[in-house]
Amino acid sequence: MDIALVAPSPVPLAIGGAENLWWGLLEHLNRRTEHHADLIKLPTPERSFWEIVDSYRRWSELDVSGYDVVISGKYPAWMVTHPRHVVYLLHPLRGLYDTYPDGWPLGCSEPHPEVSALVGFLERGGDDRALLAECFGRLDALRARDDVPDEVYALPGPLIRQVVHFLDGIGRGPRAIARSVALSATVAGRPGYFEAPVPVAHAPSWRTGLHSGRGDYLFTVSRLDAPKRIDLLIRAMEHVRSSVALRIAGTGPQEGQLRELAAGNPRVSFTGFLDDERLADAYASSLAVLFAPYQEDYGYITLEAMLS
């Protein structure tokens, strides 16, 4: 079979667990099975209301009909259409699902007539793909107006939450998906992710060269971004009474803030990017590997640490 793995590329580009998963799956399918696989990625910005809308639209228009099977795992890549479409779910846009702020309105109550009409359309729901044209048409009409309050386009916010849930209901609806699988029990159990129980398939690490060793420092590696909570580790080091050091590997949008937070503690250092060989050595040479993200989907770092 010819298999298309479809996945979004973050803007700006960042390499994390999702990218590692797709590389590993691509390598496995092409080298260890009789199948042929491609990895298809599109730049997928999501920094604003309209970037998210446009990213969903681009994926919904992508033609993957030349493949026998399509596998997606993250929003909005599952908006592609194919009769044999499998969703291997990592997560939807979590900030509009399980990490949407408690107590915030779930629906938009803005009285502007164009907004009200869109909300009514979204609330009627449906999983017919023919609804996509009307949905994007209504959004385009709204974008053309200059009298809509800015707060309507808040991210996160109730309107973008309704839009994304509506689009996901079509992209991942029962008419669209041949089979759904979850990356982990954590993902499978999150409220609002699935309408019925799904099987779990753990993804092995694709990383080679992991080995055991002995060391005397604490280590972590991650994309330096807020959900990974590297700041929590840095603050914790202020309460560590021994002389043990913490080495932090990786890059990301929070790097400057984290370096500033750690500036007063000489035991905390940043290694920047580590290639595979140096990363394997860093794992093996550490006393322990710390990993404290908020409700991580799976966590390759813990798996690779235990393999080391």
Side-chain angles (χ1 to χ4, degrees):
M1 289 190 300
D2 293 335
I3 302 172
L5 310 177
V6 295
S9 285
V11 178
L13 183 62
I15 304 302
E19 287 69 34
N20 292 336
L21 184 150
W22 298 123
W23 293 338
L25 185 54
L26 184 71
E27 189 272 344
H28 175 82
L29 289 170
N30 282 325
R31 296 186 60 182
R32 304 188 184 189
T33 77
E34 70 275 20
H35 307 299
H36 302 96
D38 274 344
L39 177 58
I40 300 173
K41 304 195 80 180
L42 294 179
T44 306
E46 53 180 76
R47 295 162 294 194
S48 70
F49 183 105
W50 293 115
E51 283 192 344
I52 291 173
V53 168
D54 291 339
S55 292
Y56 266 84
R57 189 197 316 251
R58 279 192 294 273
W59 277 104
S60 73
E61 295 171 347
L62 183 65
D63 182 1
V64 290
S65 59
Y67 295 90
D68 300 310
V69 174
V70 171
I71 301 174
S72 65
K74 283 184 68 176
Y75 69 96
W78 51 56
M79 295 307 297
V80 299
T81 180
H82 194 278
R84 300 182 71 185
H85 183 179
V86 176
V87 171
Y88 183 21
L89 188 71
L90 282 61
H91 60 81
L93 206 171
R94 293 191 62 192
L96 303 178
Y97 279 82
D98 54 299
T99 65
Y100 186 73
D102 288 339
W104 282 29
L106 301 182
C108 180
S109 57
E110 167 60 41
H112 187 288
E114 201 83 52
V115 177
S116 296
L118 172 62
V119 169
F121 168 78
L122 297 172
E123 288 178 343
R124 289 193 293 274
D127 62 2
D128 187 343
R129 195 169 182 89
L131 294 170
L132 287 177
E134 182 176 355
C135 179
F136 290 125
R138 287 177 177 271
L139 285 162
D140 287 341
L142 188 63
R143 179 162 19 191
R145 302 290 296 251
D146 59 6
D147 58 348
V148 178
D150 290 343
E151 56 266 25
V152 169
Y153 303 127
L155 178 66
L159 183 58
I160 191 60
R161 179 186 178 278
Q162 287 181 286
V163 169
V164 165
H165 278 246
F166 176 85
L167 294 172
D168 286 348
I170 294 174
R172 290 183 53 221
R175 298 197 207 188
I177 303 303
R179 188 181 186 195
S180 293
V181 182
L183 174 65
S184 66
T186 298
V187 171
R190 284 185 180 142
Y193 278 27
F194 299 99
E195 294 184 358
V198 297
V200 170
H202 294 141
S205 173
W206 65 275
R207 199 177 302 280
T208 60
L210 296 173
H211 60 90
S212 61
R214 186 184 299 271
D216 60 359
Y217 61 88
L218 304 176
F219 179 65
T220 193
V221 54
S222 185
R223 183 177 70 256
L224 303 185
D225 204 355
K228 302 301 182 182
R229 302 202 299 186
I230 304 298
D231 61 317
L232 186 65
L233 304 182
I234 294 172
R235 289 189 172 94
M237 287 297 293
E238 298 173 4
H239 304 278
V240 175
R241 296 178 182 177
S242 76
S243 60
V244 68
L246 169 63
R247 299 181 188 177
I248 300 169
T251 61
Q254 227 190 4
E255 183 172 353
Q257 299 172 44
L258 295 173
R259 286 182 178 273
E260 184 176 347
L261 181 63
N265 192 337
R267 292 178 300 157
V268 178
S269 61
F270 294 80
T271 70
F273 168 78
L274 296 179
D275 61 29
D276 287 356
E277 183 176 354
R278 290 190 297 157
L279 180 56
D281 290 343
Y283 273 132
S285 301
S286 64
L287 176 67
V289 174
L290 309 182
F291 192 51
Y294 179 71
Q295 295 183 358
E296 185 76 355
D297 302 320
Y298 183 48
Y300 274 116
I301 292 169
T302 51
L303 177 62
E304 292 169 358
M306 288 186 282
L307 289 169
S308 303

